């Protein structure tokens, strides 16, 4: 226990020094990135680094003398185990959408105190709710600084994996056609510009893919679409090869450095009508928009458009399901023969099932970490077996115990 918990306490001590230096009473560290993704690149894994909690959702609040993790019922058992000895308290909330941390801050902090959060990773709707609640109590909210940078000296940079093209026949609709479909909706809403920050929407619109986020074939970028036929893709330099950049340019998409998206928003001229999705944009980007720009808030048109599949896309979905079913059948055939004759554990289930999927044509990656839970472990939401903690199922001489094996798994395929 000592080896595991001491680094967390040390990191929290360093973080508290930063808070004291900036006269900040509390810091919010959400499970989020500038694209409000569920699965985060290493650069935005601060909540895990400073708490030790590895679940995919949760809010960490650090004050001068307390550190509190707010997590919903899917993670209570996991959090209890991972937080033990770290000095981080667990507050149980009913759902991932609950905002108990807001009420907690309002109750714990005195009027005049300052709360900090990185607005670049805080959703606009969440920021508005937080600011309203704190203002009522006379508490100041700072969202223009990222204090984690000072307390995290070896913080990872942006992912460097290359962006690649999603090609026909799997890309059944050309990106030029998708852009025209998007612009038709912009015209209907009266917008001259539209900013998209959610990585799945950008991948769909541009027919591009990447590997910046585990288990999702997406890449970090922002996309600014103009009604006049131009579009700008803000992506880290070096990630798009010159030949691909030329093809994008032929479709009216120019490249710009990833970090310049906010500056481009700030440079929009007065009279611009900007379409934004308040649930899919961060406070930092929204604050970059000048007062002379009129903002239209509506769901990103791509959110609904990508739900409507063409007959060709439906066929590829069915093909992917058939390939995954074939992998599952091969896995079950092995499992039935191995039980009672080989050493089988929850870890083995993960290894063999992943291997069968990887053999299928068009396999890209797993959809999420495989959950294989035997008996009591199967009752733990989001359970994940590790080399340090897993349940045996079978030995070469027979079953360890009768019981239920829960498997929750999936894969990404080219189609």
């Amino acid at each position: 226990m000592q080896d595991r918990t001491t680094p967390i306490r040390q990191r929290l001590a360093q973080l508290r020094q930063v808070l004291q230096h900036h006269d900040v009473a509390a810091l919010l560290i959400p499970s989020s990135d500038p694209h409000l993704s569920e699965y985060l690149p290493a650069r935005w894994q601060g909540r895990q680094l400073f708490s030790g909690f590895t679940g995919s959702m949760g809010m960490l609040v650090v004050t001068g003398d307390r550190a509190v993790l707010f997590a919903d019922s899917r993670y209570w058992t996991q959090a209890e185990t991972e937080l033990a000895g770290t000095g981080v308290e667990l507050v149980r909330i009913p759902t991932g959408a609950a905002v108990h941390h807001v009420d907690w801050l309002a109750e714990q902090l005195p009027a005049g105190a300052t709360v900090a959060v990185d607005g670049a990773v805080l959703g606009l709707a969440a920021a508005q709710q937080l600011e309203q609640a704190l203002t009522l109590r006379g508490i100041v909210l700072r969202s223009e600084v990222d204090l984690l940078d000072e307390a995290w000296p070896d913080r990872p940079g942006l992912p460097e994996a290359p962006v690649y093209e999603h090609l026909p026949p799997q890309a059944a609709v050309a990106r030029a056609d998708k852009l025209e479909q998007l612009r038709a909706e912009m015209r209907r809403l009266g917008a001259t510009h539209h900013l998209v920050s959610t990585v799945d929407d950008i991948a769909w619109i541009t027919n591009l893919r990447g590997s910046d986020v585990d288990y999702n074939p997406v890449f970090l970028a922002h996309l600014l679409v103009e009604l006049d036929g131009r579009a700008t893709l803000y992506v880290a330099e070096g990630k798009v090869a010159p030949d691909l950049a030329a093809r994008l340019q032929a479709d009216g998409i120019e490249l710009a450095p990833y970090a310049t998206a906010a500056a481009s928003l700030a440079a929009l001229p007065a009279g611009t009508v900007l379409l934004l999705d308040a649930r899919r944009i961060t406070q930092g980007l929204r604050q970059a928009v000048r007062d002379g720009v009129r903002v239209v808030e509506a769901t990103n048109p791509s959110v609904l458009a990508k739900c409507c599949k063409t007959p060709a896309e439906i066929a590829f979905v069915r093909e992917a399901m058939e390939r995954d079913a074939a992998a599952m059948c091969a896995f079950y055939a092995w499992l039935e023969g191995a039980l009672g004759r080989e050493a089988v554990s929850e870890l083995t289930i993960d290894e063999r099932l992943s291997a069968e999927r990887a053999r299928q044509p068009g396999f890209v990656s797993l959809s999420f970490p495989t959950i294989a839970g035997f008996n009591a472990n199967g009752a733990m939401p989001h359970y994940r077996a590790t080399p340090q903690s897993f349940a045996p199922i079978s030995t070469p001489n027979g079953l360890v115990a009768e019981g239920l094996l829960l498997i929750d798994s999936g894969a990404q395929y080219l189609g």
Side-chain angles (χ1 to χ4, degrees):
M1 182 67 71
Q2 182 70 15
D3 290 340
R4 167 167 168 70
T5 61
T6 298
I8 301 297
R9 292 182 180 273
Q10 291 174 341
R11 291 171 193 148
L12 286 172
Q14 293 171 345
L15 184 58
R16 288 186 172 111
Q17 290 178 0
V18 174
L19 300 188
Q20 185 176 16
H21 176 73
H22 288 271
D23 196 22
V24 168
L27 174 67
L28 267 66
I29 309 177
S31 302
S32 184
D33 68 3
H35 310 276
L36 306 180
S37 306
E38 179 179 359
Y39 298 103
L40 310 179
R43 178 171 179 78
W44 291 284
Q45 291 280 5
R47 188 225 62 213
Q48 177 175 328
L49 183 78
F50 288 95
S51 70
F53 172 62
T54 62
S56 61
M57 293 185 70
M59 176 70 76
L60 178 64
V61 179
V62 180
T63 70
D65 57 0
R66 298 178 70 181
V68 179
L69 176 77
F70 296 81
D72 66 73
S73 59
R74 295 171 296 172
Y75 304 100
W76 290 348
T77 302
Q78 175 185 351
E80 287 175 350
T81 300
E82 294 182 337
L83 298 182
T86 64
V88 180
E89 308 167 41
L90 172 63
V91 172
R92 296 169 175 80
I93 59 177
T95 69
V99 290
H100 288 58
H101 63 280
V102 176
D103 297 332
W104 188 90
L105 283 167
E107 293 170 359
Q108 296 293 322
L109 300 181
T114 297
V115 173
V117 62
D118 181 7
V121 302
L122 185 65
L124 177 58
Q128 292 170 338
Q129 185 177 36
L130 176 63
E131 187 168 22
Q132 181 179 21
L134 296 183
T135 300
L136 288 174
R137 299 298 295 268
I139 299 171
V140 178
L141 178 65
R142 288 188 62 188
S143 59
E144 80 286 0
V145 292
D146 181 4
L147 297 183
L148 289 188
D149 270 344
E150 296 183 38
W152 192 354
D154 56 348
R155 187 175 189 178
L158 293 173
E160 298 178 347
V163 172
Y164 60 94
E165 199 163 11
H166 186 53
L167 295 167
Q170 287 81 11
V173 181
R175 63 175 151 259
D177 295 333
K178 292 178 178 179
L179 283 166
E180 181 50 43
Q181 182 181 358
L182 189 154
R183 289 188 173 105
E185 187 64 13
M186 289 172 60
R187 291 187 192 96
R188 188 185 72 82
L189 295 169
T192 61
H193 293 68
H194 174 40
L195 179 72
V196 187
S197 284
T198 37
V199 291
D200 55 324
D201 288 311
I202 294 172
W204 181 85
I205 294 169
T206 61
N207 282 347
L208 298 176
R209 299 291 187 267
S211 55
D212 289 354
V213 181
D214 289 343
Y215 310 110
N216 292 266
V218 296
F219 59 100
L220 302 188
H222 303 284
L223 179 67
L224 183 62
V225 180
E226 301 180 40
L227 195 59
D228 65 5
R230 292 177 295 180
T232 304
L233 182 67
Y234 301 90
V235 62
E237 296 178 80
K239 290 176 69 70
V240 179
D243 58 337
L244 177 53
R247 291 194 293 276
L248 291 171
Q249 188 174 35
D251 287 327
I253 301 176
E254 301 286 343
L255 301 182
Y258 176 82
T260 63
S264 293
L265 287 179
L268 291 176
T272 298
V273 182
L274 179 63
L275 172 61
L276 294 177
D277 189 336
R279 293 180 298 175
R280 295 174 175 85
I281 189 173
T282 64
Q283 183 195 36
L285 285 175
R286 178 61 182 88
Q287 289 180 331
V289 181
R290 296 193 305 173
D291 291 340
V293 173
R294 184 164 70 88
V295 172
V296 175
E297 292 191 0
T299 301
N300 286 340
S302 50
V303 170
L304 299 178
K306 62 187 171 69
C307 295
C308 301
K309 307 299 183 186
T310 67
E313 289 171 331
I314 292 172
F316 285 120
V317 171
R318 288 176 173 152
E319 180 182 305
M321 295 299 296
E322 290 167 358
R323 294 193 189 284
D324 205 59
M328 292 293 294
C329 288
F331 162 77
Y332 283 129
W334 165 81
L335 181 61
E336 289 179 3
L339 289 177
R341 299 178 181 87
E342 300 180 25
V344 178
S345 71
E346 294 168 335
L347 293 176
T348 316
I349 300 298
D350 186 354
E351 293 167 0
R352 292 300 297 246
L353 186 49
S354 298
E356 292 296 346
R357 286 191 162 109
R359 293 188 183 100
Q360 290 297 317
F363 173 81
V364 176
S365 72
L366 297 183
S367 298
F368 50 86
T370 297
I371 297 172
F374 186 52
N375 281 343
N377 290 341
M380 294 173 58
H382 286 233
Y383 170 76
R384 180 82 191 276
T386 67
Q388 295 76 34
S389 178
F390 64 90
I393 300 170
S394 166
T395 70
N397 300 319
L399 294 176
V400 172
E402 293 289 342
L404 177 69
L405 172 64
L406 170 76
I407 299 176
D408 185 3
S409 65
Q412 302 272 3
Y413 293 90
L414 187 59

